[in-house]
PDB file of all heavy atoms in Angstrom:
ATOM      1  N   GLN E   1       5.270  34.067   5.889  1.00  0.00           N
ATOM      2  CA  GLN E   1       5.058  34.429   7.253  1.00  0.00           C
ATOM      3  C   GLN E   1       3.586  33.998   7.515  1.00  0.00           C
ATOM      4  O   GLN E   1       3.173  33.618   8.677  1.00  0.00           O
ATOM      5  CB  GLN E   1       5.231  35.928   7.486  1.00  0.00           C
ATOM      6  CG  GLN E   1       6.668  36.170   7.432  1.00  0.00           C
ATOM      7  CD  GLN E   1       6.921  37.689   7.587  1.00  0.00           C
ATOM      8  OE1 GLN E   1       5.989  38.462   7.682  1.00  0.00           O
ATOM      9  NE2 GLN E   1       8.166  38.135   7.695  1.00  0.00           N
ATOM     10  N   ILE E   2       2.627  34.243   6.581  1.00  0.00           N
ATOM     11  CA  ILE E   2       1.089  33.955   6.867  1.00  0.00           C
ATOM     12  C   ILE E   2       1.030  32.470   7.052  1.00  0.00           C
ATOM     13  O   ILE E   2       0.225  31.988   7.872  1.00  0.00           O
ATOM     14  CB  ILE E   2       0.345  34.501   5.730  1.00  0.00           C
ATOM     15  CG1 ILE E   2       0.156  36.011   5.766  1.00  0.00           C
ATOM     16  CG2 ILE E   2      -1.099  33.877   5.792  1.00  0.00           C
ATOM     17  CD1 ILE E   2      -0.385  36.751   4.636  1.00  0.00           C
ATOM     18  N   GLU E   3       1.639  31.632   6.168  1.00  0.00           N
ATOM     19  CA  GLU E   3       1.609  30.185   6.234  1.00  0.00           C
ATOM     20  C   GLU E   3       2.124  29.678   7.622  1.00  0.00           C
ATOM     21  O   GLU E   3       1.469  28.903   8.206  1.00  0.00           O
ATOM     22  CB  GLU E   3       2.413  29.664   5.060  1.00  0.00           C
ATOM     23  CG  GLU E   3       2.207  28.084   5.011  1.00  0.00           C
ATOM     24  CD  GLU E   3       2.829  27.505   3.763  1.00  0.00           C
ATOM     25  OE1 GLU E   3       2.652  28.063   2.692  1.00  0.00           O
ATOM     26  OE2 GLU E   3       3.538  26.516   3.925  1.00  0.00           O
ATOM     27  N   SER E   4       3.214  30.256   8.029  1.00  0.00           N
ATOM     28  CA  SER E   4       3.819  29.710   9.286  1.00  0.00           C
ATOM     29  C   SER E   4       3.039  30.196  10.437  1.00  0.00           C
ATOM     30  O   SER E   4       2.919  29.580  11.482  1.00  0.00           O
ATOM     31  CB  SER E   4       5.337  30.134   9.422  1.00  0.00           C
ATOM     32  OG  SER E   4       5.410  31.497   9.515  1.00  0.00           O
ATOM     33  N   ALA E   5       2.479  31.382  10.322  1.00  0.00           N
ATOM     34  CA  ALA E   5       1.720  31.989  11.517  1.00  0.00           C
ATOM     35  C   ALA E   5       0.320  31.250  11.644  1.00  0.00           C
ATOM     36  O   ALA E   5      -0.211  31.186  12.747  1.00  0.00           O
ATOM     37  CB  ALA E   5       1.506  33.499  11.298  1.00  0.00           C
ATOM     38  N   SER E   6      -0.175  30.761  10.564  1.00  0.00           N
ATOM     39  CA  SER E   6      -1.479  30.126  10.623  1.00  0.00           C
ATOM     40  C   SER E   6      -1.420  28.668  11.001  1.00  0.00           C
ATOM     41  O   SER E   6      -2.480  27.954  11.074  1.00  0.00           O
ATOM     42  CB  SER E   6      -2.213  30.299   9.352  1.00  0.00           C
ATOM     43  OG  SER E   6      -1.569  29.690   8.282  1.00  0.00           O
ATOM     44  N   ALA E   7      -0.223  28.117  11.113  1.00  0.00           N
ATOM     45  CA  ALA E   7      -0.049  26.597  11.429  1.00  0.00           C
ATOM     46  C   ALA E   7      -0.531  26.377  12.783  1.00  0.00           C
ATOM     47  O   ALA E   7      -0.215  27.190  13.760  1.00  0.00           O
ATOM     48  CB  ALA E   7       1.462  26.210  11.145  1.00  0.00           C
ATOM     49  N   VAL E   8      -1.105  25.236  13.009  1.00  0.00           N
ATOM     50  CA  VAL E   8      -1.599  24.827  14.321  1.00  0.00           C
ATOM     51  C   VAL E   8      -0.794  23.545  14.673  1.00  0.00           C
ATOM     52  O   VAL E   8      -0.618  22.715  13.852  1.00  0.00           O
ATOM     53  CB  VAL E   8      -3.104  24.436  14.202  1.00  0.00           C
ATOM     54  CG1 VAL E   8      -3.538  23.854  15.617  1.00  0.00           C
ATOM     55  CG2 VAL E   8      -3.931  25.674  14.000  1.00  0.00           C
ATOM     56  N   GLU E   9      -0.255  23.630  15.889  1.00  0.00           N
ATOM     57  CA  GLU E   9       0.555  22.462  16.421  1.00  0.00           C
ATOM     58  C   GLU E   9      -0.429  21.400  17.105  1.00  0.00           C
ATOM     59  O   GLU E   9      -1.109  21.824  18.029  1.00  0.00           O
ATOM     60  CB  GLU E   9       1.624  22.932  17.210  1.00  0.00           C
ATOM     61  CG  GLU E   9       2.610  21.820  17.640  1.00  0.00           C
ATOM     62  CD  GLU E   9       3.776  22.420  18.443  1.00  0.00           C
ATOM     63  OE1 GLU E   9       4.196  23.518  18.210  1.00  0.00           O
ATOM     64  OE2 GLU E   9       4.299  21.648  19.304  1.00  0.00           O
ATOM     65  N   ILE E  10      -0.271  20.182  16.699  1.00  0.00           N
ATOM     66  CA  ILE E  10      -1.087  19.068  17.325  1.00  0.00           C
ATOM     67  C   ILE E  10      -0.171  18.148  17.983  1.00  0.00           C
ATOM     68  O   ILE E  10       0.752  17.671  17.331  1.00  0.00           O
ATOM     69  CB  ILE E  10      -1.991  18.379  16.269  1.00  0.00           C
ATOM     70  CG1 ILE E  10      -2.935  19.366  15.699  1.00  0.00           C
ATOM     71  CG2 ILE E  10      -2.691  17.298  16.856  1.00  0.00           C
ATOM     72  CD1 ILE E  10      -3.775  18.808  14.589  1.00  0.00           C
ATOM     73  N   LYS E  11      -0.357  17.824  19.208  1.00  0.00           N
ATOM     74  CA  LYS E  11       0.393  16.837  19.984  1.00  0.00           C
ATOM     75  C   LYS E  11      -0.510  15.667  20.322  1.00  0.00           C
ATOM     76  O   LYS E  11      -1.602  15.828  20.703  1.00  0.00           O
ATOM     77  CB  LYS E  11       0.942  17.388  21.204  1.00  0.00           C
ATOM     78  CG  LYS E  11       1.950  18.542  20.982  1.00  0.00           C
ATOM     79  CD  LYS E  11       2.539  19.096  22.273  1.00  0.00           C
ATOM     80  CE  LYS E  11       3.528  20.189  21.991  1.00  0.00           C
ATOM     81  NZ  LYS E  11       4.104  20.719  23.161  1.00  0.00           N
ATOM     82  N   GLY E  12       0.005  14.443  20.152  1.00  0.00           N
ATOM     83  CA  GLY E  12      -0.844  13.308  20.347  1.00  0.00           C
ATOM     84  C   GLY E  12      -0.027  12.115  20.844  1.00  0.00           C
ATOM     85  O   GLY E  12       1.210  12.109  20.753  1.00  0.00           O
ATOM     86  N   ILE E  13      -0.689  11.079  21.092  1.00  0.00           N
ATOM     87  CA  ILE E  13      -0.159   9.719  21.569  1.00  0.00           C
ATOM     88  C   ILE E  13      -0.695   8.672  20.653  1.00  0.00           C
ATOM     89  O   ILE E  13      -1.932   8.721  20.294  1.00  0.00           O
ATOM     90  CB  ILE E  13      -0.545   9.481  23.014  1.00  0.00           C
ATOM     91  CG1 ILE E  13      -0.136  10.449  23.864  1.00  0.00           C
ATOM     92  CG2 ILE E  13       0.116   8.160  23.439  1.00  0.00           C
ATOM     93  CD1 ILE E  13      -0.799  10.469  25.279  1.00  0.00           C
ATOM     94  N   SER E  14       0.112   7.847  20.173  1.00  0.00           N
ATOM     95  CA  SER E  14      -0.336   6.772  19.196  1.00  0.00           C
ATOM     96  C   SER E  14       0.304   5.488  19.587  1.00  0.00           C
ATOM     97  O   SER E  14       1.429   5.348  20.031  1.00  0.00           O
ATOM     98  CB  SER E  14       0.124   7.170  17.795  1.00  0.00           C
ATOM     99  OG  SER E  14      -0.266   6.128  16.856  1.00  0.00           O
ATOM    100  N   GLY E  15      -0.445   4.409  19.227  1.00  0.00           N
ATOM    101  CA  GLY E  15       0.127   3.151  19.304  1.00  0.00           C
ATOM    102  C   GLY E  15       1.200   2.877  18.277  1.00  0.00           C
ATOM    103  O   GLY E  15       1.216   3.602  17.299  1.00  0.00           O
ATOM    104  N   SER E  16       1.916   1.840  18.375  1.00  0.00           N
ATOM    105  CA  SER E  16       3.127   1.555  17.442  1.00  0.00           C
ATOM    106  C   SER E  16       2.513   1.231  16.070  1.00  0.00           C
ATOM    107  O   SER E  16       3.300   1.531  15.059  1.00  0.00           O
ATOM    108  CB  SER E  16       3.923   0.406  17.960  1.00  0.00           C
ATOM    109  OG  SER E  16       3.163  -0.742  18.098  1.00  0.00           O
ATOM    110  N   GLU E  17       1.343   0.774  15.936  1.00  0.00           N
ATOM    111  CA  GLU E  17       0.812   0.414  14.606  1.00  0.00           C
ATOM    112  C   GLU E  17       0.474   1.654  13.805  1.00  0.00           C
ATOM    113  O   GLU E  17       0.421   1.649  12.480  1.00  0.00           O
ATOM    114  CB  GLU E  17      -0.379  -0.574  14.769  1.00  0.00           C
ATOM    115  CG  GLU E  17      -1.630   0.116  15.348  1.00  0.00           C
ATOM    116  CD  GLU E  17      -1.603   0.074  16.848  1.00  0.00           C
ATOM    117  OE1 GLU E  17      -0.666  -0.555  17.511  1.00  0.00           O
ATOM    118  OE2 GLU E  17      -2.520   0.744  17.459  1.00  0.00           O
ATOM    119  N   LYS E  18       0.172   2.777  14.410  1.00  0.00           N
ATOM    120  CA  LYS E  18      -0.247   4.038  13.666  1.00  0.00           C
ATOM    121  C   LYS E  18       0.863   4.970  13.543  1.00  0.00           C
ATOM    122  O   LYS E  18       0.769   5.976  12.818  1.00  0.00           O
ATOM    123  CB  LYS E  18      -1.400   4.603  14.313  1.00  0.00           C
ATOM    124  CG  LYS E  18      -2.755   3.807  14.231  1.00  0.00           C
ATOM    125  CD  LYS E  18      -3.843   4.391  14.983  1.00  0.00           C
ATOM    126  CE  LYS E  18      -4.926   3.468  15.040  1.00  0.00           C
ATOM    127  NZ  LYS E  18      -4.877   2.337  15.906  1.00  0.00           N
ATOM    128  N   LEU E  19       1.897   4.782  14.298  1.00  0.00           N
ATOM    129  CA  LEU E  19       3.002   5.752  14.312  1.00  0.00           C
ATOM    130  C   LEU E  19       3.690   5.983  13.005  1.00  0.00           C
ATOM    131  O   LEU E  19       3.975   7.089  12.691  1.00  0.00           O
ATOM    132  CB  LEU E  19       4.120   5.338  15.402  1.00  0.00           C
ATOM    133  CG  LEU E  19       5.104   6.417  15.784  1.00  0.00           C
ATOM    134  CD1 LEU E  19       4.413   7.728  16.324  1.00  0.00           C
ATOM    135  CD2 LEU E  19       6.125   5.787  16.755  1.00  0.00           C
ATOM    136  N   PRO E  20       3.960   4.944  12.247  1.00  0.00           N
ATOM    137  CA  PRO E  20       4.580   5.143  10.880  1.00  0.00           C
ATOM    138  C   PRO E  20       3.742   6.055   9.996  1.00  0.00           C
ATOM    139  O   PRO E  20       4.229   6.831   9.240  1.00  0.00           O
ATOM    140  CB  PRO E  20       4.647   3.679  10.302  1.00  0.00           C
ATOM    141  CG  PRO E  20       4.716   2.773  11.499  1.00  0.00           C
ATOM    142  CD  PRO E  20       3.861   3.492  12.550  1.00  0.00           C
ATOM    143  N   PHE E  21       2.411   6.012  10.078  1.00  0.00           N
ATOM    144  CA  PHE E  21       1.593   6.881   9.264  1.00  0.00           C
ATOM    145  C   PHE E  21       1.869   8.318   9.687  1.00  0.00           C
ATOM    146  O   PHE E  21       2.024   9.196   8.785  1.00  0.00           O
ATOM    147  CB  PHE E  21       0.146   6.569   9.596  1.00  0.00           C
ATOM    148  CG  PHE E  21      -0.784   7.610   8.882  1.00  0.00           C
ATOM    149  CD1 PHE E  21      -1.060   7.510   7.513  1.00  0.00           C
ATOM    150  CD2 PHE E  21      -1.440   8.506   9.662  1.00  0.00           C
ATOM    151  CE1 PHE E  21      -1.816   8.473   6.938  1.00  0.00           C
ATOM    152  CE2 PHE E  21      -2.323   9.549   9.100  1.00  0.00           C
ATOM    153  CZ  PHE E  21      -2.540   9.432   7.638  1.00  0.00           C
ATOM    154  N   PHE E  22       2.014   8.659  10.880  1.00  0.00           N
ATOM    155  CA  PHE E  22       2.189  10.134  11.324  1.00  0.00           C
ATOM    156  C   PHE E  22       3.664  10.488  11.046  1.00  0.00           C
ATOM    157  O   PHE E  22       3.925  11.730  11.063  1.00  0.00           O
ATOM    158  CB  PHE E  22       1.790  10.351  12.771  1.00  0.00           C
ATOM    159  CG  PHE E  22       0.324  10.267  12.967  1.00  0.00           C
ATOM    160  CD1 PHE E  22      -0.299   9.249  13.522  1.00  0.00           C
ATOM    161  CD2 PHE E  22      -0.412  11.335  12.536  1.00  0.00           C
ATOM    162  CE1 PHE E  22      -1.649   9.233  13.707  1.00  0.00           C
ATOM    163  CE2 PHE E  22      -1.766  11.358  12.588  1.00  0.00           C
ATOM    164  CZ  PHE E  22      -2.423  10.341  13.209  1.00  0.00           C
ATOM    165  N   GLN E  23       4.607   9.493  10.922  1.00  0.00           N
ATOM    166  CA  GLN E  23       5.942   9.920  10.672  1.00  0.00           C
ATOM    167  C   GLN E  23       6.245   9.912   9.196  1.00  0.00           C
ATOM    168  O   GLN E  23       7.368  10.306   8.751  1.00  0.00           O
ATOM    169  CB  GLN E  23       6.873   8.949  11.399  1.00  0.00           C
ATOM    170  CG  GLN E  23       6.892   9.066  12.814  1.00  0.00           C
ATOM    171  CD  GLN E  23       7.687   8.101  13.582  1.00  0.00           C
ATOM    172  OE1 GLN E  23       8.024   7.002  13.031  1.00  0.00           O
ATOM    173  NE2 GLN E  23       8.147   8.340  14.792  1.00  0.00           N
ATOM    174  N   ASP E  24       5.381   9.389   8.334  1.00  0.00           N
ATOM    175  CA  ASP E  24       5.514   9.361   6.937  1.00  0.00           C
ATOM    176  C   ASP E  24       5.735  10.729   6.332  1.00  0.00           C
ATOM    177  O   ASP E  24       4.929  11.575   6.738  1.00  0.00           O
ATOM    178  CB  ASP E  24       4.381   8.654   6.218  1.00  0.00           C
ATOM    179  CG  ASP E  24       4.550   8.484   4.653  1.00  0.00           C
ATOM    180  OD1 ASP E  24       5.674   8.046   4.315  1.00  0.00           O
ATOM    181  OD2 ASP E  24       3.644   8.906   3.995  1.00  0.00           O
ATOM    182  N   LEU E  25       6.723  10.963   5.536  1.00  0.00           N
ATOM    183  CA  LEU E  25       7.179  12.284   4.981  1.00  0.00           C
ATOM    184  C   LEU E  25       5.878  12.796   4.137  1.00  0.00           C
ATOM    185  O   LEU E  25       5.630  14.061   4.292  1.00  0.00           O
ATOM    186  CB  LEU E  25       8.362  12.158   4.150  1.00  0.00           C
ATOM    187  CG  LEU E  25       9.043  13.548   3.868  1.00  0.00           C
ATOM    188  CD1 LEU E  25       9.432  14.280   5.172  1.00  0.00           C
ATOM    189  CD2 LEU E  25      10.379  13.214   3.065  1.00  0.00           C
ATOM    190  N   GLN E  26       5.197  11.984   3.372  1.00  0.00           N
ATOM    191  CA  GLN E  26       4.094  12.447   2.594  1.00  0.00           C
ATOM    192  C   GLN E  26       3.036  12.986   3.473  1.00  0.00           C
ATOM    193  O   GLN E  26       2.307  13.944   3.155  1.00  0.00           O
ATOM    194  CB  GLN E  26       3.612  11.388   1.596  1.00  0.00           C
ATOM    195  CG  GLN E  26       4.626  11.130   0.468  1.00  0.00           C
ATOM    196  CD  GLN E  26       4.122  10.004  -0.390  1.00  0.00           C
ATOM    197  OE1 GLN E  26       3.304   9.194  -0.087  1.00  0.00           O
ATOM    198  NE2 GLN E  26       4.608  10.001  -1.644  1.00  0.00           N
ATOM    199  N   THR E  27       2.762  12.314   4.500  1.00  0.00           N
ATOM    200  CA  THR E  27       1.639  12.672   5.483  1.00  0.00           C
ATOM    201  C   THR E  27       1.971  13.960   6.095  1.00  0.00           C
ATOM    202  O   THR E  27       1.131  14.834   6.163  1.00  0.00           O
ATOM    203  CB  THR E  27       1.422  11.510   6.520  1.00  0.00           C
ATOM    204  OG1 THR E  27       1.153  10.285   5.827  1.00  0.00           O
ATOM    205  CG2 THR E  27       0.247  11.905   7.422  1.00  0.00           C
ATOM    206  N   VAL E  28       3.193  14.049   6.645  1.00  0.00           N
ATOM    207  CA  VAL E  28       3.690  15.338   7.376  1.00  0.00           C
ATOM    208  C   VAL E  28       3.497  16.541   6.281  1.00  0.00           C
ATOM    209  O   VAL E  28       3.031  17.591   6.653  1.00  0.00           O
ATOM    210  CB  VAL E  28       5.082  15.217   7.795  1.00  0.00           C
ATOM    211  CG1 VAL E  28       5.544  16.441   8.438  1.00  0.00           C
ATOM    212  CG2 VAL E  28       5.101  14.116   8.927  1.00  0.00           C
ATOM    213  N   GLU E  29       4.003  16.367   5.117  1.00  0.00           N
ATOM    214  CA  GLU E  29       3.853  17.401   4.126  1.00  0.00           C
ATOM    215  C   GLU E  29       2.531  17.788   3.788  1.00  0.00           C
ATOM    216  O   GLU E  29       2.050  18.915   3.617  1.00  0.00           O
ATOM    217  CB  GLU E  29       4.719  17.016   2.911  1.00  0.00           C
ATOM    218  CG  GLU E  29       6.187  17.113   3.068  1.00  0.00           C
ATOM    219  CD  GLU E  29       6.947  16.657   1.874  1.00  0.00           C
ATOM    220  OE1 GLU E  29       6.359  16.493   0.800  1.00  0.00           O
ATOM    221  OE2 GLU E  29       8.092  16.486   1.864  1.00  0.00           O
ATOM    222  N   ALA E  30       1.604  16.700   3.543  1.00  0.00           N
ATOM    223  CA  ALA E  30       0.215  16.957   3.278  1.00  0.00           C
ATOM    224  C   ALA E  30      -0.474  17.748   4.347  1.00  0.00           C
ATOM    225  O   ALA E  30      -1.279  18.516   4.044  1.00  0.00           O
ATOM    226  CB  ALA E  30      -0.484  15.676   2.952  1.00  0.00           C
ATOM    227  N   LEU E  31      -0.272  17.329   5.506  1.00  0.00           N
ATOM    228  CA  LEU E  31      -0.964  18.022   6.723  1.00  0.00           C
ATOM    229  C   LEU E  31      -0.426  19.439   6.939  1.00  0.00           C
ATOM    230  O   LEU E  31      -1.121  20.236   7.418  1.00  0.00           O
ATOM    231  CB  LEU E  31      -0.794  17.266   7.938  1.00  0.00           C
ATOM    232  CG  LEU E  31      -1.482  15.867   7.991  1.00  0.00           C
ATOM    233  CD1 LEU E  31      -1.210  15.118   9.319  1.00  0.00           C
ATOM    234  CD2 LEU E  31      -3.005  16.102   7.927  1.00  0.00           C
ATOM    235  N   SER E  32       0.802  19.753   6.614  1.00  0.00           N
ATOM    236  CA  SER E  32       1.378  21.077   6.828  1.00  0.00           C
ATOM    237  C   SER E  32       0.927  22.026   5.727  1.00  0.00           C
ATOM    238  O   SER E  32       1.195  23.274   5.879  1.00  0.00           O
ATOM    239  CB  SER E  32       2.878  20.978   6.895  1.00  0.00           C
ATOM    240  OG  SER E  32       3.489  20.643   5.663  1.00  0.00           O
ATOM    241  N   LYS E  33       0.405  21.682   4.627  1.00  0.00           N
ATOM    242  CA  LYS E  33      -0.008  22.507   3.633  1.00  0.00           C
ATOM    243  C   LYS E  33      -1.471  23.000   3.663  1.00  0.00           C
ATOM    244  O   LYS E  33      -2.245  22.515   4.536  1.00  0.00           O
ATOM    245  CB  LYS E  33       0.287  21.796   2.190  1.00  0.00           C
ATOM    246  CG  LYS E  33       1.702  21.699   1.951  1.00  0.00           C
ATOM    247  CD  LYS E  33       1.890  20.987   0.631  1.00  0.00           C
ATOM    248  CE  LYS E  33       3.441  20.691   0.389  1.00  0.00           C
ATOM    249  NZ  LYS E  33       3.585  19.995  -0.921  1.00  0.00           N
ATOM    250  N   GLU E  34      -1.875  23.757   2.708  1.00  0.00           N
ATOM    251  CA  GLU E  34      -3.182  24.315   2.609  1.00  0.00           C
ATOM    252  C   GLU E  34      -4.128  23.151   2.416  1.00  0.00           C
ATOM    253  O   GLU E  34      -3.764  22.227   1.599  1.00  0.00           O
ATOM    254  CB  GLU E  34      -3.269  25.306   1.392  1.00  0.00           C
ATOM    255  CG  GLU E  34      -4.562  26.041   1.420  1.00  0.00           C
ATOM    256  CD  GLU E  34      -4.450  27.118   0.322  1.00  0.00           C
ATOM    257  OE1 GLU E  34      -3.492  27.342  -0.333  1.00  0.00           O
ATOM    258  OE2 GLU E  34      -5.481  27.629   0.053  1.00  0.00           O
ATOM    259  N   PRO E  35      -5.317  23.024   2.895  1.00  0.00           N
ATOM    260  CA  PRO E  35      -6.030  23.924   3.733  1.00  0.00           C
ATOM    261  C   PRO E  35      -5.819  23.668   5.229  1.00  0.00           C
ATOM    262  O   PRO E  35      -6.406  24.415   6.060  1.00  0.00           O
ATOM    263  CB  PRO E  35      -7.465  23.775   3.420  1.00  0.00           C
ATOM    264  CG  PRO E  35      -7.513  22.248   3.183  1.00  0.00           C
ATOM    265  CD  PRO E  35      -6.151  21.988   2.527  1.00  0.00           C
ATOM    266  N   TRP E  36      -5.038  22.718   5.652  1.00  0.00           N
ATOM    267  CA  TRP E  36      -4.929  22.393   7.071  1.00  0.00           C
ATOM    268  C   TRP E  36      -3.860  23.116   7.874  1.00  0.00           C
ATOM    269  O   TRP E  36      -4.077  23.506   8.963  1.00  0.00           O
ATOM    270  CB  TRP E  36      -4.741  20.877   7.244  1.00  0.00           C
ATOM    271  CG  TRP E  36      -5.796  20.072   6.690  1.00  0.00           C
ATOM    272  CD1 TRP E  36      -7.101  19.942   7.240  1.00  0.00           C
ATOM    273  CD2 TRP E  36      -5.797  19.342   5.516  1.00  0.00           C
ATOM    274  NE1 TRP E  36      -7.873  19.201   6.366  1.00  0.00           N
ATOM    275  CE2 TRP E  36      -7.101  18.772   5.326  1.00  0.00           C
ATOM    276  CE3 TRP E  36      -4.823  19.113   4.464  1.00  0.00           C
ATOM    277  CZ2 TRP E  36      -7.451  17.965   4.102  1.00  0.00           C
ATOM    278  CZ3 TRP E  36      -5.140  18.342   3.411  1.00  0.00           C
ATOM    279  CH2 TRP E  36      -6.458  17.827   3.213  1.00  0.00           C
ATOM    280  N   TYR E  37      -2.622  23.259   7.475  1.00  0.00           N
ATOM    281  CA  TYR E  37      -1.608  23.834   8.116  1.00  0.00           C
ATOM    282  C   TYR E  37      -1.369  23.236   9.466  1.00  0.00           C
ATOM    283  O   TYR E  37      -1.302  24.002  10.507  1.00  0.00           O
ATOM    284  CB  TYR E  37      -1.745  25.403   8.232  1.00  0.00           C
ATOM    285  CG  TYR E  37      -1.856  26.097   6.867  1.00  0.00           C
ATOM    286  CD1 TYR E  37      -3.044  26.751   6.483  1.00  0.00           C
ATOM    287  CD2 TYR E  37      -0.741  26.130   6.013  1.00  0.00           C
ATOM    288  CE1 TYR E  37      -3.103  27.393   5.266  1.00  0.00           C
ATOM    289  CE2 TYR E  37      -0.800  26.737   4.844  1.00  0.00           C
ATOM    290  CZ  TYR E  37      -2.036  27.356   4.480  1.00  0.00           C
ATOM    291  OH  TYR E  37      -2.105  28.100   3.184  1.00  0.00           O
ATOM    292  N   LEU E  38      -1.201  21.882   9.558  1.00  0.00           N
ATOM    293  CA  LEU E  38      -1.084  21.278  10.848  1.00  0.00           C
ATOM    294  C   LEU E  38       0.350  20.842  10.967  1.00  0.00           C
ATOM    295  O   LEU E  38       0.903  20.203  10.057  1.00  0.00           O
ATOM    296  CB  LEU E  38      -2.055  20.153  10.892  1.00  0.00           C
ATOM    297  CG  LEU E  38      -3.497  20.377  10.827  1.00  0.00           C
ATOM    298  CD1 LEU E  38      -4.335  19.041  10.772  1.00  0.00           C
ATOM    299  CD2 LEU E  38      -3.967  21.292  12.021  1.00  0.00           C
ATOM    300  N   LYS E  39       0.915  20.979  12.172  1.00  0.00           N
ATOM    301  CA  LYS E  39       2.250  20.442  12.542  1.00  0.00           C
ATOM    302  C   LYS E  39       1.926  19.410  13.643  1.00  0.00           C
ATOM    303  O   LYS E  39       1.419  19.697  14.675  1.00  0.00           O
ATOM    304  CB  LYS E  39       3.087  21.577  13.096  1.00  0.00           C
ATOM    305  CG  LYS E  39       3.587  22.579  12.122  1.00  0.00           C
ATOM    306  CD  LYS E  39       4.499  23.572  12.715  1.00  0.00           C
ATOM    307  CE  LYS E  39       4.838  24.681  11.785  1.00  0.00           C
ATOM    308  NZ  LYS E  39       5.739  25.652  12.312  1.00  0.00           N
ATOM    309  N   THR E  40       2.292  18.193  13.310  1.00  0.00           N
ATOM    310  CA  THR E  40       2.073  17.054  14.253  1.00  0.00           C
ATOM    311  C   THR E  40       3.210  16.601  15.002  1.00  0.00           C
ATOM    312  O   THR E  40       4.364  16.553  14.385  1.00  0.00           O
ATOM    313  CB  THR E  40       1.562  15.878  13.401  1.00  0.00           C
ATOM    314  OG1 THR E  40       2.452  15.435  12.416  1.00  0.00           O
ATOM    315  CG2 THR E  40       0.264  16.230  12.733  1.00  0.00           C
ATOM    316  N   HIS E  41       3.025  16.309  16.263  1.00  0.00           N
ATOM    317  CA  HIS E  41       3.978  15.700  17.115  1.00  0.00           C
ATOM    318  C   HIS E  41       3.398  14.556  17.808  1.00  0.00           C
ATOM    319  O   HIS E  41       2.458  14.731  18.700  1.00  0.00           O
ATOM    320  CB  HIS E  41       4.534  16.745  18.176  1.00  0.00           C
ATOM    321  CG  HIS E  41       5.076  17.902  17.600  1.00  0.00           C
ATOM    322  ND1 HIS E  41       6.464  17.907  17.160  1.00  0.00           N
ATOM    323  CD2 HIS E  41       4.650  19.208  17.334  1.00  0.00           C
ATOM    324  CE1 HIS E  41       6.716  19.096  16.557  1.00  0.00           C
ATOM    325  NE2 HIS E  41       5.823  19.914  16.639  1.00  0.00           N
TER     326      HIS E  41
END
């Protein structure tokens, strides 16, 4: 509960060349864990 409550949701716009980076499973998992707790859209 603490981990999900402290997560920050980030929304952004990206060109097609950077989109695969933000959709990469390793990137999404790394950003969602400690110390960042970021959810990206």
